Amino acid sequence: DLGHHFCFRSPTSYRPVAQPKNTCRKPALHDQKTGADIYVCVTAEKFRLSALTEGAPTGIDSPPEPVRIGDNTFYYYGPGGGGVSYPDQYFFNLRGKTLSIDFDGPYENDKTPSDEAKKMERKALASFREF
């Protein structure tokens, strides 16, 4: 968790990816079998829903939707326009900082992760804990 004091359970098929500290451009976890990735990033900027629209999928100009998963409220962006694949993006107010967890694939004939991947996402996020 890079000193930010949170955790969540990922599927056993995902393995950590070695990456330089303080980078959000590389996946934190990778699934060799499906090629899917999970990106985890904590930014120094203050958590503000209005600021998240800057990274919204094409065609979306409103803040992400609140989604209650387990004991926590995450803010969710799914697919946008333009016919390209978009990861499922979840944002969380982590003690005033912005935590993003992006689930990038697997994609099956759609521009959003598969139904099976979406079930895995919810299970992983339901295990999310701050400490």
Side-chain angles (χ1 to χ4, degrees), residues 56-60 76-89 107 110-113 118:
T58 303
I60 298 176
Y76 170 75
Y77 277 137
V84 298
S85 297
Y86 292 91
D88 283 340
Q89 300 176 298
Y107 301 94
D110 200 356
K111 60 183 181 179
T112 188
K118 289 182 182 302

Side-chain angles (χ1 to χ4, degrees), residues 10-61:
S10 61
T12 57
S13 60
Y14 282 75
R15 298 285 182 246
V17 175
Q19 60 181 334
K21 284 190 178 226
N22 301 326
T23 183
C24 292
R25 295 189 176 135
K26 292 187 177 185
L29 300 162
H30 178 74
D31 186 338
Q32 290 277 128
K33 187 175 98 177
T34 66
D37 292 306
I38 301 174
Y39 292 76
V40 180
C41 182
V42 177
T43 61
E45 70 183 55
K46 185 178 179 182
F47 181 86
R48 290 186 351 245
L49 284 175
S50 60
L52 298 176
T53 59
E54 294 172 13
T58 303
I60 298 176
D61 57 5

Side-chain angles (χ1 to χ4, degrees), residues 42-120:
V42 177
T43 61
E45 70 183 55
K46 185 178 179 182
F47 181 86
R48 290 186 351 245
L49 284 175
S50 60
L52 298 176
T53 59
E54 294 172 13
T58 303
I60 298 176
D61 57 5
S62 58
E65 295 292 321
V67 178
R68 185 83 177 165
I69 302 175
D71 295 333
N72 299 295
T73 299
F74 295 89
Y75 297 87
Y76 170 75
Y77 277 137
V84 298
S85 297
Y86 292 91
D88 283 340
Q89 300 176 298
Y90 292 88
F91 300 92
F92 184 77
N93 183 347
L94 185 68
R95 292 179 291 283
K97 295 181 180 180
T98 302
L99 164 65
S100 65
I101 303 174
D102 297 359
F103 296 90
D104 192 8
Y107 301 94
E108 293 174 7
N109 304 318
D110 200 356
K111 60 183 181 179
T112 188
S114 68
D115 288 341
E116 186 177 322
K118 289 182 182 302
K119 289 177 189 169
M120 176 276 297

Side-chain angles (χ1 to χ4, degrees), residues 1-8 40 42 94-95 99 129 131:
D1 80 20
L2 302 175
H4 295 291
H5 306 288
F6 68 88
C7 64
F8 64 92
V40 180
V42 177
L94 185 68
R95 292 179 291 283
L99 164 65
R129 301 287 179 268
F131 55 91

